[in-house]
Amino acid sequence: MLICLPVLAASFCPGLKSNRPLDRYHKLEGFTGFNNENMCEADIPGKAWAGAGPGVRCLELRFLRHNLRGGVMMKHTLSVLVENNPGVLARVAGLFSRRGFNIDSLAVGRTENPRVSRMTIVVEGDDFTLEQVNKQLHKLVDVIKISDLTKDAYVDRELVMIKVFAEPSSRAEIMQLVDIFRARIVDVGPKTLTIEVTGNSGKIDAFELSLRPFGIKELVRTGKIAMLRGYKNSIKGNNHKEEDVS
Amino acid sequence: MQSDVTKKVLRSQKGKVSKRKKEADQALLSGAEILIRSLEDEGVETIFGYPGGQALPIYDALYDSKINHILCRHEQGAAHAADGYARATGKPGVCLATSGPGATNLVTGIATAFMDSVPMVAITGQVPLSLLGRDSFQEADITGITLPITKHSYLVRDTSELAQTVKEAIYIATTGRPGPVLIDVPRDVSSGQAEYRRADKMNLPGYRPVLDADPAQVEEAARAIMKSERPVIYAGGGVVISGAHEELLQLAELLMAPVCNTLTGLGGFPGNHPLSLGMLGMHGTKYANYAVSECDLLIAVGARFDDRVTGDVETFAPEARIIHIDIDPAEIGKNVRVDIPVVGDVKRVLRQLLKSLQPRLNEAWRDKIMAWKKEYPLNYCEKGCLKPQAIIREICRQTEGKARITTEVGQHQMWTAQYYTFTRPRSFITSGGLGTMGFGLPAAIGVQVGCPDELVFDIAGDGSIQMNIQELCTAVNYDLPVNVAILNNGYLGMVRQWQELFYNRRYSQSELLNPDFVKLAEAYGAEGIRVTRPSELAPAIEQAINSSKPVMLDFIVDREENVLPMVPPGGTLNKMLG
């Protein structure tokens, strides 16, 4: 089960976030607009930015802003293991709002151990803020472990479902896009198609953008979930290369 | 009419039933009984509380318990009394209230304890689980309300979890950086039955306070200390909490480094020691603030760089490298940049640190500080009417600096911090972080309960005392001979001072019409003494000390006396008024 709070998250940081999520990509170096190539490649980090580490990280590193303190504002993906106690979500969410930290997204779900849940929190801030977030989270008795995935190679995913207006004349085109983005049609209505797509936020933003001309009736998006890549554990045993194979 | 035989049979059956019931009772206890038994087993001797509907099962279990219950006159009083008890004894303070308004009345007390890291367990009754969330009579979401002001909280959902919960709550409240923990007990949980099994181990995978510091950090701190020319120690409440006063004294004497204290740190270093600089910060001594402004190494020990200490953080200790020793990693670098963080229990860290240090003395630095102390002593104009500072000095003289002093919040609190020479830890009990008016009297009651043989003074203002004056009845009720010294100037003094200094003397809503405190004390069954002239001061205090009853001293003082020196809010420490 996923409990996601993107709306809540957005309200934490009025003025900091652009209303148009795609604005930020225009600030990327060498950005020439979305085309089929970079949309799909974005999901295969190793290929998109070969040699520069995992693509997502690279994408976010290039998108730098500065806050009032002069610190570099950066997005961090925190993976937080918590005890599955009642109220733990309120404790974490309350901590963020109380201390003035900006949550971009928050996703919670049980782990393989039913007593333990994992929260994936995307938070934007400079090093100072991140240090405080980390330390303050650690003070919560229910919090077992925090790792900042941004420091390592990781895979992240979001799931989005989009209900898009699909007149017979445009269906074929939409289905082509679905194909390109490796999305899936999960429901067909007389005038709409409901499409699910998973991927990192870049891909999802791009997909949303490409569907917008057809008219999006409804959109629901989970928070980001993320996991460290596996090579850290397997590097000793064998030298096989881990790849994002989604 | 029944025959004898029938009667016998009936009697024996009755006997059997009650015996069986007794056996069952031994195996099964009510939740309330488990709660009280667990508290007893954890060594709790005193509870401060106030009964009510949803707490009735707990109060019923308390009826047979050896735990001493102090009935306060307001739940806020109960929370502050538990706080005072904890600060004076170092043991966890326990307060108990009913659901809804009872619980919300605890809130200020819990927040006070949270800000000053006081080990406290607050137990509240709650509506039965089946009625939770239905806006039932006297229902309040107290775990939600207290989320930001508790170290942890529990809403107990099963009677069988109570014993474990109590054990964990006390453990969390008293270890690491102490703080208040709330246990919310729905009525059906406290009246339900379960087997009592004393909890033996904790199940807290996410709670691991760091006690021993990283040796490398300690070494780095030691190197910085040995390299420094002009060290100053800035000692906070953490020294008192961790019982590190002896280690602090050793450190100061080894380095011949002057020590300034925060408000809650007073008493952690003997105030009559030649190296003591008293309090620093907004109303600190000039020499403490000068020393901090000119030192090249600031050793912060169990302190948290509050804005009342630092003033403008950009200009705070501008020439100093900063070593910050604290048990809470989140305090490191929170308010000021820190050069050498050392995370660990202050007592242990100081012991580790002392091993790698050699005696040092920079005579020029020492002489400079001595010169400051001589040139800029705390002073006030002694002429004319009764001066509040003179009262504190006289109380200090007569009690030889050995009384347990509590205060409310305001001018009197600052004068107490300045003019009472605290010589031992846990002797100054005041609301430093939250600044809670109405704290002093109930806290004094808690202190007197925890230290029955000691002399307890609550130094109060005429405004603050009226915020929890009902607790005078508690003191009378339990024969607690606390002394209340009201510095009565007919104003909310600190508000008036700020209005004088920053709002062009527009005394908006700061003048007070007061009751006759002497008559009021007598109405409560306490003793009341009014003092209007300097000549009456000494005998009145003597009378209060010798009285076996609670005494309320009403000192009519100079109305417009200010607390000086003063660093204007957000100002630089070495630029003081007065």
Side-chain angles (χ1 to χ4, degrees):
Chain A
M1 188 186 73
L2 280 172
I3 312 160
C4 301
L5 303 166
V7 178
L8 179 69
S11 66
F12 285 151
C13 41
L16 268 180
K17 285 188 64 170
S18 163
N19 287 332
R20 295 178 299 165
L22 292 170
D23 272 5
R24 56 195 202 131
Y25 292 101
H26 296 285
K27 295 175 190 161
L28 289 176
E29 286 167 39
F31 183 85
T32 52
F34 287 101
N35 55 45
N36 286 350
E37 200 185 321
N38 70 13
M39 276 189 287
C40 297
E41 295 294 336
D43 198 28
I44 307 169
K47 289 182 190 167
W49 287 285
V56 178
R57 183 180 168 205
C58 184
L59 185 76
E60 289 178 355
L61 270 177
R62 288 181 184 199
F63 170 60
L64 301 179
R65 277 194 291 152
H66 295 263
N67 65 358
L68 295 174
R69 258 194 306 273
V72 175
M73 297 291 279
M74 209 180 119
K75 283 206 170 147
H76 290 255
T77 305
L78 303 181
S79 183
V80 185
L81 278 182
V82 298
E83 282 197 78
N84 201 0
N85 289 338
V88 63
L89 180 62
R91 283 180 209 277
V92 172
L95 179 106
F96 274 81
S97 67
R98 185 161 73 244
R99 301 248 172 206
F101 304 141
N102 305 322
I103 299 187
D104 268 32
S105 86
L106 171 60
V108 197
R110 241 171 49 176
T111 62
E112 71 282 3
N113 176 354
R115 289 191 47 85
V116 175
S117 289
R118 186 184 295 279
M119 294 187 176
T120 308
I121 305 172
V122 182
V123 53
E124 185 170 7
D126 60 5
D127 288 349
F128 171 83
T129 311
L130 253 291
E131 194 183 322
Q132 269 295 309
V133 167
N134 217 311
K135 287 171 168 175
Q136 294 294 346
L137 276 175
H138 260 299
K139 282 176 79 167
L140 298 179
V141 172
D142 285 333
V143 170
I144 301 168
K145 194 181 170 206
I146 305 164
S147 14
D148 186 351
L149 302 182
T150 324
K151 292 174 183 157
D152 283 298
Y154 68 100
V155 192
D156 67 348
R157 285 293 176 270
E158 280 175 61
L159 167 70
V160 65
M161 296 209 287
I162 303 175
K163 194 178 278 171
V164 62
F165 286 107
E167 297 297 329
S169 57
S170 57
R171 281 201 179 197
E173 204 183 331
I174 292 173
M175 284 163 80
Q176 209 176 1
L177 281 168
V178 165
D179 217 27
I180 293 167
F181 279 92
R182 285 182 237 165
R184 271 189 343 138
I185 293 170
V186 289
D187 186 53
V188 182
K191 285 182 180 165
T192 58
L193 288 172
T194 304
I195 304 162
E196 69 156 63
V197 61
T198 58
N200 61 37
S201 24
K203 173 180 166 182
I204 286 177
D205 289 346
F207 187 54
E208 185 195 333
L209 189 78
S210 57
L211 284 184
R212 204 172 271 172
F214 305 99
I216 291 173
K217 189 164 184 246
E218 203 178 330
L219 185 148
V220 53
R221 190 166 171 168
T222 68
K224 190 198 258 188
I225 56 167
M227 198 175 258
L228 275 186
R229 282 172 184 271
Y231 67 82
K232 264 196 154 177
N233 299 327
S234 59
I235 202 155
K236 282 178 201 159
N238 48 26
N239 250 343
H240 80 261
K241 209 175 156 190
E242 296 275 337
E243 263 195 29
D244 192 337
V245 288
S246 61
Chain B
M1 191 183 156
Q2 290 169 319
S3 72
D4 284 355
V5 181
T6 332
K7 267 187 189 166
K8 235 178 212 170
V9 170
L10 275 175
R11 210 178 296 142
S12 77
Q13 271 178 349
K14 206 178 166 190
K16 258 183 203 164
V17 168
S18 68
K19 202 178 170 192
R20 216 177 294 144
K21 194 165 174 260
K22 221 174 192 177
E23 274 168 12
D25 278 352
Q26 271 172 357
L28 289 179
L29 293 180
S30 78
E33 287 166 330
I34 293 176
L35 180 73
I36 298 300
R37 276 272 290 272
S38 313
L39 289 169
E40 288 171 356
D41 287 348
E42 291 299 319
V44 171
E45 292 162 359
T46 306
I47 293 180
F48 302 87
Y50 203 101
Q54 308 300 349
L56 280 175
I58 303 173
Y59 271 87
D60 189 58
L62 208 50
Y63 198 65
D64 298 323
S65 167
K66 59 181 184 200
I67 290 179
N68 176 25
H69 182 274
I70 305 287
L71 174 67
C72 293
R73 275 10 181 214
H74 187 300
E75 287 91 348
Q76 188 187 345
H80 291 325
D83 182 323
Y85 175 89
R87 292 193 209 213
T89 62
K91 294 187 273 190
V94 181
C95 56
L96 172 58
T98 187
S99 64
T104 55
N105 277 343
L106 291 179
V107 168
T108 305
I110 295 173
T112 307
F114 184 71
M115 287 291 272
D116 289 343
S117 311
V118 177
M120 182 201 268
V121 175
I123 301 167
T124 49
Q126 180 56 281
V127 300
L129 286 170
S130 55
L131 290 180
L132 262 183
R134 300 183 180 211
D135 303 324
S136 317
F137 177 65
Q138 292 197 330
E139 180 187 355
D141 172 17
I142 196 63
T143 47
I145 291 169
T146 57
L147 210 58
I149 52 165
T150 46
K151 189 170 171 189
H152 195 52
S153 54
Y154 294 91
L155 171 56
V156 186
R157 288 173 186 274
D158 196 313
T159 309
S160 62
E161 291 170 8
L162 270 167
Q164 181 75 27
T165 304
V166 169
K167 188 169 183 77
E168 285 181 10
I170 290 182
Y171 176 71
I172 292 172
T174 51
T175 52
R177 178 181 186 172
V181 177
L182 182 115
I183 308 177
D184 200 17
V185 189
R187 191 185 167 129
D188 44 356
V189 171
S190 58
S191 55
Q193 296 207 314
E195 215 174 302
Y196 175 62
R197 226 176 289 133
R198 196 172 167 176
D200 45 2
K201 60 177 178 199
M202 233 73 68
N203 179 27
L204 298 165
Y207 181 69
R208 295 174 300 265
V210 183
L211 297 178
D212 287 309
D214 179 358
Q217 289 301 104
V218 176
E219 276 312 308
E220 203 185 332
R223 274 198 300 277
I225 291 172
M226 295 317 287
K227 259 197 275 175
S228 71
E229 295 289 320
R230 306 184 303 279
V232 167
I233 298 170
Y234 151 46
V239 172
V240 178
I241 294 169
S242 111
H245 47 281
E246 284 168 15
E247 287 78 3
L248 178 68
L249 185 63
Q250 282 177 36
L251 178 74
E253 288 180 346
L254 193 70
L255 306 174
M256 288 305 283
V259 179
C260 47
N261 281 115
T262 66
L263 183 64
T264 49
L266 287 170
F269 190 78
N272 50 3
H273 194 284
L275 287 171
S276 171
L277 299 182
M279 187 169 70
L280 82 163
M282 182 177 276
H283 291 296
T285 59
K286 285 192 174 179
Y287 38 91
N289 287 342
Y290 287 149
V292 168
S293 299
E294 294 201 11
C295 68
D296 70 342
L297 180 74
L298 189 68
I299 310 169
V301 189
R304 59 183 178 86
F305 297 91
D306 184 88
D307 56 287
R308 293 285 135 127
V309 162
T310 60
D312 176 18
V313 285
E314 300 299 324
T315 55
F316 177 72
E319 294 167 29
R321 294 191 78 198
I322 297 177
I323 299 174
H324 191 179
I325 305 171
D326 204 290
I327 196 162
D328 182 359
E331 285 303 335
I332 308 284
K334 185 183 78 179
N335 293 342
V336 299
R337 58 172 176 90
V338 169
D339 299 288
I340 305 167
V342 187
V343 176
D345 176 59
V346 165
K347 191 182 175 97
R348 296 195 192 194
V349 173
L350 290 186
R351 283 197 177 160
Q352 277 171 276
L353 190 61
L354 282 166
K355 282 184 202 152
S356 18
L357 295 176
Q358 276 88 47
R360 278 180 68 94
L361 170 62
N362 178 346
E363 286 180 10
W365 179 232
R366 184 197 59 188
D367 294 344
K368 194 167 193 183
I369 282 167
M370 290 304 156
W372 280 331
K373 277 181 97 163
K374 208 174 254 175
E375 198 175 340
Y376 307 105
L378 285 170
N379 62 5
Y380 58 94
C381 171
E382 296 193 43
K383 280 182 204 137
C385 54
L386 194 54
K387 293 287 180 177
Q389 298 93 329
I391 297 167
I392 310 289
R393 278 220 165 130
E394 183 59 23
I395 294 174
C396 183
R397 192 185 65 81
Q398 292 203 22
T399 59
E400 296 166 347
K402 284 180 184 147
R404 304 264 185 175
I405 305 287
T406 71
T407 71
E408 315 284 337
V409 170
Q411 284 185 317
H412 66 274
Q413 180 191 30
M414 291 300 114
W415 283 318
T416 307
Q418 292 176 334
Y419 290 95
Y420 196 96
T421 311
F422 295 95
T423 52
R424 57 182 186 142
R426 302 193 181 278
S427 60
F428 184 43
I429 285 146
T430 192
S431 168
L434 196 68
T436 311
M437 290 171 71
F439 172 80
L441 177 56
I445 287 168
V447 174
Q448 190 77 77
V449 170
C451 316
D453 302 325
E454 296 196 38
L455 192 57
V456 181
F457 263 91
D458 167 32
I459 294 171
D462 48 319
S464 286
I465 191 65
Q466 293 183 69
M467 286 210 177
N468 269 323
I469 198 157
Q470 77 286 346
E471 298 306 326
L472 199 53
C473 203
T474 313
V476 172
N477 193 164
Y478 292 92
D479 295 324
L480 302 167
V482 297
N483 302 299
V484 182
I486 304 174
L487 311 187
N488 184 348
N489 55 12
Y491 277 119
L492 296 172
M494 192 58 97
V495 173
R496 189 208 56 75
Q497 176 172 339
W498 281 50
Q499 287 170 337
E500 178 189 330
L501 296 174
F502 310 119
Y503 292 90
N504 208 18
R505 290 177 190 259
R506 287 152 56 87
Y507 295 158
S508 176
Q509 302 300 318
S510 52
E511 191 165 9
L512 283 181
L513 171 71
N514 288 321
D516 182 331
F517 287 114
V518 172
K519 278 191 188 154
L520 193 62
E522 283 163 0
Y524 273 120
E527 214 173 307
I529 307 171
R530 178 165 298 115
V531 180
T532 48
R533 278 190 296 270
S535 60
E536 299 163 0
L537 177 58
I541 292 170
E542 206 179 325
Q543 191 187 335
I545 291 173
N546 292 330
S547 169
S548 57
K549 283 210 278 186
V551 180
M552 189 171 254
L553 291 148
D554 184 17
F555 293 106
I556 310 299
V557 298
D558 188 350
R559 292 202 73 194
E560 304 215 349
E561 187 70 21
N562 284 337
V563 181
L564 294 170
M566 178 180 189
V567 179
T572 301
L573 279 195
N574 57 6
K575 297 195 177 94
M576 282 163 282
L577 310 172

